[in-house]
Amino acid sequence: MGAKQADTPDARRRAMFWQIVDDYSLIGIFIVLFAVLSATVQYFFSWDNIVGLALSVSQIGMVSCTMMFCLASRDFDLSVGSTVAFAGVCCAIVSNATGSVALGIAASLVAGALIGFINGVVIAKLNINALITTLATMEIVRGLAFITSQGQAVGVTSEAFFTLGSAELFGLPVPVWVTLACFVVFGILLNKTIYGRNTLAIGGNPDAARLAGVSVDWVRIAIFLIQGLVAALAGIILASRMTSGQPNAGEGFELNVISACVLGGVSLMGGRASISGVLVGVLIMGTVQNAMSLMNIDAFYQYLVRGTILLIAVLVDQLKNRRQSR
């Protein structure tokens, strides 16, 4: 009787309303924000600024695609900022030593994948908490970046290296195209493949996923390995844009990435993720940052605004989880 009463037309309408809010509210917020800033902030709606905005969020966008999988599986990775820095330094050093940019890029990608693989094995096989593991890895990898570079920026002698970060294709910088490709590829992985379904299943209930035949440990390891690989790619591109590998690059990067994912509706409790939501989350974070810079708002206040946005995103995530658990 209680079930029949709960399944009333009013209840269905309320459920439909909240579903629409969940699906489209973030897109609506971004459209309103973009329109208001275009009308009120000088130069915001110029083509050069829009391209600059897309370029500024390109590295965060790349890594957000893979952080989405970490969060959706109830894990997260605090080592991505350090991996970005180490990959840039590694690429610069190997490129200079061998005279081959290709070898430098390959070495950095292998190093990033290895960092991710180690994270995954320690977390999945040794059952060490992801927070502690990646916090330790963050410090270790950052230390390696400073040791290998002797605490100095490592310039690259090959002009070909700079092309990756500065070249344009159809009017847009190459890093922007790489980011768009990441969103397409990982969107397909999330929505159209067994890998994506298994990730969400693990985040929803890892014990049930294991009983259903999902190789939970190896899926988690694969998630972290891919995370390290993409973080290394972002580090290579960032080093190309900065014309050197810098050991202090990417500081605070992991928090920006996690903020964009949570703002985009990826649940910290696992089991829920949307590639379109992550894209909008990245754009909102970048748009706010870009507008504050154009308005010459002091950097101290920019920290305050970013922190407030993250707090609001976490509160909204908690409200969604409570509503869905009723």
Side-chain angles (χ1 to χ4, degrees):
M1 184 68 180
K4 291 182 180 178
Q5 289 178 345
D7 189 23
T8 63
D10 286 343
R12 288 195 295 270
R13 281 194 292 269
R14 283 195 297 270
M16 185 178 298
F17 170 77
W18 285 113
Q19 185 63 49
I20 292 172
V21 170
D22 288 347
D23 290 343
Y24 299 106
S25 60
L26 192 65
I27 297 174
I29 289 171
F30 173 68
I31 292 173
V32 171
L33 175 67
F34 191 87
V36 170
L37 293 176
S38 297
T40 58
V41 178
Q42 191 176 20
Y43 306 122
F44 177 81
F45 196 57
S46 66
W47 174 251
D48 288 342
N49 185 65
I50 298 302
V51 172
L53 168 61
L55 186 59
S56 69
V57 300
S58 56
Q59 278 76 57
I60 291 175
M62 292 176 204
V63 182
S64 294
C65 291
T66 47
M67 185 67 76
M68 172 185 68
F69 282 83
C70 285
L71 295 176
S73 64
R74 293 194 186 185
D75 290 317
F76 53 90
D77 188 352
L78 296 178
S79 68
V80 289
S82 297
T83 303
V84 165
F86 180 71
V89 169
C90 177
C91 185
I93 291 175
V94 173
S95 295
N96 291 340
T98 62
S100 170
V101 174
L103 285 177
I105 292 173
S108 294
L109 293 176
V110 170
L114 181 60
I115 292 167
F117 178 76
I118 291 172
N119 278 336
V121 168
V122 172
I123 292 167
K125 294 296 186 181
L126 301 182
N127 294 318
I128 306 299
N129 182 273
L131 172 65
I132 302 302
T133 300
T134 59
L135 185 62
T137 310
M138 177 180 73
E139 299 292 343
I140 292 169
V141 175
R142 180 72 67 179
L144 288 174
F146 277 103
I147 290 169
T148 53
S149 67
Q150 298 181 342
Q152 304 293 323
V154 181
V156 181
T157 55
S158 174
E159 292 290 333
F161 179 70
F162 308 137
T163 303
L164 187 60
S166 61
E168 291 190 355
L169 183 64
F170 303 116
L172 289 176
V174 168
V176 175
W177 288 111
V178 174
T179 303
L180 292 174
C182 286
F183 275 103
V184 171
V185 169
F186 288 104
I188 293 172
L189 284 176
L190 179 67
N191 297 310
K192 302 296 184 181
T193 67
I194 294 175
Y195 174 72
R197 290 194 291 271
N198 286 347
T199 298
L200 295 176
I202 292 170
N205 190 324
D207 293 330
R210 188 175 282 107
L211 290 174
V214 177
S215 182
V216 173
D217 290 350
W218 285 108
V219 171
R220 294 173 76 190
I221 291 171
I223 289 170
F224 278 97
L225 188 152
I226 296 171
Q227 172 82 90
L229 184 68
V230 174
L233 175 62
I236 294 166
I237 294 176
L238 182 61
S240 176
R241 289 179 56 199
M242 299 172 70
T243 70
S244 62
Q246 302 195 16
N248 60 350
E251 291 183 345
F253 185 85
E254 58 282 336
L255 298 182
N256 290 331
V257 170
I258 292 173
S259 298
C261 287
V262 175
L263 182 60
V266 182
S267 176
L268 293 173
M269 302 298 293
R272 188 177 73 241
S274 163
I275 192 69
S276 60
V278 172
L279 174 59
V280 176
V282 169
L283 290 175
I284 288 177
M285 293 292 292
T287 298
V288 171
Q289 178 74 41
N290 178 265
M292 290 190 295
S293 297
L294 288 175
M295 291 186 290
N296 294 318
I297 294 177
D298 193 282
F300 300 139
Y301 293 101
Q302 295 185 25
Y303 283 115
L304 181 65
V305 171
R306 288 200 300 268
T308 302
I309 291 174
L310 175 59
L311 180 59
I312 292 172
V314 172
L315 290 174
V316 170
D317 177 63
Q318 290 299 312
L319 290 174
K320 286 182 180 179
N321 289 328
R322 289 177 185 176
R323 190 175 68 250
Q324 292 176 357
S325 63
R326 288 175 183 174

